[in-house]
Amino acid sequence: MAELSRDDEELVLTLTTAEKAESLHGDIRVPFSSVQEVEVVEDIIHAVHGLKLPGSRWPGRFAIGTFVHDDTKTFAVVHHDTARGVRVRLADGAFSELLVGCANPEAIAASIAKGS
């Protein structure tokens, strides 16, 4: 399962080998200075919108990869067994936001907020 963590002055989204294959993308690193907002999302799978470019999706089950909707470019890693997750809104980067399903989104959000 993907993990959000801090590495010096960067926020790092580390993907498993399977997630890298499904998303056609490697790990994502963004400067902490680009983190604008971190929020807990109760129904993370339904927070993923748009056309997948590239990625894998089974509506209501999983969404992994890049999704474009209007002027938002999202990178999502959401599995069926993680109903809740974290939304990280970003500025000045390849993605507008990261959506990551996780078992304890409050702890992840708190750890990111402390680092920014």
Side-chain angles (χ1 to χ4, degrees):
M1 179 174 290
E3 292 183 16
L4 279 170
S5 62
R6 182 178 181 161
D7 182 18
D8 292 324
E9 294 302 314
E10 292 183 310
L11 178 65
V12 181
L13 177 58
T14 305
L15 305 176
T16 66
T17 302
E19 290 165 341
K20 288 176 182 177
E22 290 172 324
S23 67
L24 298 177
H25 206 287
D27 296 341
I28 295 174
R29 302 177 79 84
V30 296
F32 255 94
S33 59
S34 70
V35 175
Q36 294 187 319
E37 180 183 7
V38 180
E39 68 176 307
V40 173
V41 179
E42 293 299 321
D43 187 5
I44 193 77
I45 192 68
H46 291 105
V48 181
H49 299 287
L51 180 64
K52 63 178 171 56
L53 297 171
S56 301
R57 179 185 228 170
W58 181 355
R61 299 284 293 163
F62 65 85
I64 301 168
T66 303
F67 296 84
V68 178
H69 179 69
D70 295 332
D71 61 346
T72 303
K73 188 174 179 184
T74 301
F75 190 85
V77 184
V78 180
H79 299 276
H80 67 90
D81 57 349
T82 52
R84 303 174 71 223
V86 185
R87 178 192 318 264
V88 180
R89 294 191 195 275
L90 304 168
D92 304 324
F95 298 102
S96 307
E97 64 182 8
L98 304 175
L99 291 173
V100 182
C102 51
N104 189 349
E106 290 83 4
I108 300 297
S111 71
I112 295 170
K114 283 182 187 175
S116 57

